[in-house]
Amino acid sequence: MKMHNPPHPGTVVADNIAALNLTLRDVAKALDVSPSTLQRLTKEQIAISPEMAVRLSTVIGSSPEWWLRMQDAWSLYHAEHNLDLTRLTRLTPPAANLDSATV
């Protein structure tokens, strides 16, 4: 099921930082990343990589797969709404090839 305008995972990270009463620098240290990297993530300027998903899973919680699904949902939603598809052409095999392929 597609989510309507899903949140960027960086927003969830920022919410966790606030809920835990921690500084961005504290969490960056716990994640073993630079504060600037974490800031770019919380400002929705970068995506969560598989490596960051593993780090977040260990430090904040949830599974790495959950973090990546959240990133994928956000990325796909924005790609579908921002990509101009008017110049694309759907490719379909000729009907004769379909008949011979199924025999």
Side-chain angles (χ1 to χ4, degrees):
M1 180 168 92
K2 289 188 180 181
M3 184 182 290
H4 176 70
N5 198 9
H8 188 280
T11 302
V12 176
V13 174
D15 291 346
N16 275 276
I17 291 170
L20 295 169
N21 259 350
L22 296 171
T23 67
L24 192 122
R25 189 171 295 280
D26 293 335
V27 177
K29 185 176 181 180
L31 290 167
D32 193 29
V33 299
S34 70
S36 63
T37 297
L38 186 57
Q39 183 177 31
R40 288 193 318 268
L41 177 62
T42 61
K43 298 288 184 188
E44 302 179 15
Q45 296 170 345
I46 61 172
I48 287 183
S49 66
E51 292 82 7
M52 180 61 83
V54 171
R55 291 172 191 264
L56 290 168
S57 174
T58 301
V59 173
I60 293 177
S62 295
S63 69
E65 294 84 5
W66 183 85
W67 288 104
L68 289 176
R69 280 194 307 271
M70 178 173 262
Q71 181 64 57
D72 284 347
W74 185 90
S75 297
L76 185 57
Y77 174 86
H78 287 278
E80 288 175 337
H81 287 83
N82 297 323
L83 188 63
D84 179 9
L85 304 177
T86 59
R87 295 179 52 192
L88 302 182
T89 304
R90 179 180 299 275
L91 297 177
T92 56
N97 288 346
L98 283 177
D99 292 337
S100 63
T102 58
V103 175

